[in-house]
Amino acid sequence: MVHRTWLFVAIACSWFACSRPAEPNQSAAAPVAVAAPDRPHQLTVFATDSARAPCTALARLYEQQHPGASVALRCEGGAQLVSALLAGAPADVVVIADSSLMSRLAAGALLAPGSPTELTRNRLALVVAKGNPRQIQTLRDCARTGVRLALGARSASIGRHGRWVLSRLELHPEPAVEAPTAAGVLEHIAAGRADVGIVYQTTLRGAPDTVQAVELPLADNTAALYSISAVREAPEPQAAAAFRALALGADGQRQFAEHGFLPQGTKD
């Protein structure tokens, strides 16, 4: 049993481990329909904050399809969710926007065997104050003298992705402020605490009219990979498998597309 557990960990870690936040060459497994429990049940889903909107829509869809079921969503920064799971917080499904964070769960043997797979992708954007008073046009402007930069914390998925695209241009500016989520980075810009921030493109959907986006060219961008997995010790393992299948199927992928996310396998 010990040998089999560590074999799973090794396979899972090799799937996720990398020197960058996303793995564009990984393909998603084909979804297989799974029947949910034929009884009232509660499913607990841990979802990274940037996937809050589509995961909320998926939760409501799951409840509609399975009368008597309820889905409890916990949406926080990926690092906070991983820490909670490693500390023993009960959950059935986890959605994370950073393969290096998901690999920590795999290394702890917390993921159901064969369950971790690609869910969707996202891209990055720069966010500035309305009118772009500092005339921010490219990533290189984030490192200009006097420009105040907002980044995700180093432990956060958006922080890793933001630093990754900057480092590819050999840029290593010190942020004026940091936040645990992309939404928090956006709040710093809206409050005037920074001149430019790096967020997900989807973060800007419904953003206040006091900010605006500066799109990054594909050559300077990254296709951030979001993955999903059932938890190994899920209180509701059958429901976890059913929710995962729903998210990976046509109905689930439609929800992510409607909220601005990219198809599985989108390249840099």
Side-chain angles (χ1 to χ4, degrees), residues 7-17 23 26-31 92-96 98-120 225-232 240-241 244-245 248 264:
L7 177 61
F8 162 68
V9 171
I11 293 172
C13 286
S14 67
W15 195 93
F16 284 109
E23 296 185 7
Q26 296 295 341
S27 58
D92 297 291
V93 177
V94 59
V95 174
I96 295 290
D98 185 342
S99 57
S100 62
L101 290 178
M102 190 67 96
S103 70
R104 290 181 60 192
L105 299 178
L110 295 180
L111 306 179
S115 183
T117 193
E118 178 178 347
L119 175 61
T120 188
L225 182 151
Y226 288 59
S227 50
I228 186 171
S229 180
V231 176
R232 187 181 186 89
R244 174 185 178 276
L248 293 170
Q264 299 163 336

Side-chain angles (χ1 to χ4, degrees), residues 10 78 99 101 108 117 121 124 135 146 247 258:
S99 57
L101 290 178
T117 193
R121 302 224 176 182
L124 303 183
Q135 295 300 297
E258 289 178 356

Side-chain angles (χ1 to χ4, degrees), residues 39-268:
R39 55 175 171 74
H41 60 278
Q42 178 170 298
L43 181 73
T44 301
V45 177
F46 279 22
T48 192
D49 188 68
S50 58
R52 179 188 299 267
C55 285
T56 298
L58 276 177
R60 302 294 83 81
L61 180 59
Y62 182 90
E63 292 170 345
Q64 292 170 11
Q65 293 180 350
H66 307 291
S70 64
V71 179
L73 273 176
R74 177 171 174 175
C75 297
E76 298 179 46
Q80 285 87 350
L81 295 177
V82 169
S83 294
L85 288 167
L86 290 173
D92 297 291
V93 177
V94 59
V95 174
I96 295 290
D98 185 342
S99 57
S100 62
L101 290 178
M102 190 67 96
S103 70
R104 290 181 60 192
L105 299 178
L110 295 180
L111 306 179
S115 183
T117 193
E118 178 178 347
L119 175 61
T120 188
R121 302 224 176 182
N122 208 341
R123 289 202 190 278
L124 303 183
L126 300 179
V127 58
V128 298
K130 182 80 171 199
N132 196 1
R134 298 304 301 270
Q135 295 300 297
I136 305 296
Q137 301 297 333
T138 71
L139 281 170
R140 293 192 180 279
D141 291 326
C142 295
R144 276 186 2 220
T145 300
V147 170
R148 298 172 301 163
L149 173 64
L151 285 178
R154 289 186 178 275
S155 61
S157 303
I158 187 60
R160 293 173 188 267
H161 291 305
R163 287 173 175 80
W164 164 250
V165 294
L166 288 167
S167 68
R168 288 197 301 188
L169 297 176
E170 299 184 352
L171 301 173
H172 305 282
E174 284 297 321
V177 289
E178 295 183 331
T181 64
V185 173
L186 177 65
E187 289 175 6
H188 281 314
I189 303 303
R193 291 186 287 267
D195 303 308
V196 58
I198 299 179
V199 298
Y200 298 113
Q201 287 184 348
T202 56
T203 310
L204 292 156
R205 294 170 67 90
D209 58 10
T210 55
V211 302
Q212 68 182 62
V214 176
E215 290 190 14
L216 294 174
L218 291 183
D220 293 338
N221 216 315
T222 189
L225 182 151
Y226 288 59
S227 50
I228 186 171
S229 180
V231 176
R232 187 181 186 89
E233 299 296 333
E236 291 285 354
Q238 186 178 348
F243 186 90
R244 174 185 178 276
L246 174 64
L248 293 170
D251 289 341
Q253 291 298 294
R254 188 177 304 112
Q255 291 295 336
F256 281 93
E258 289 178 356
H259 287 88
F261 287 79
L262 303 173
Q264 299 163 336
T266 299
K267 306 298 182 182
D268 281 355

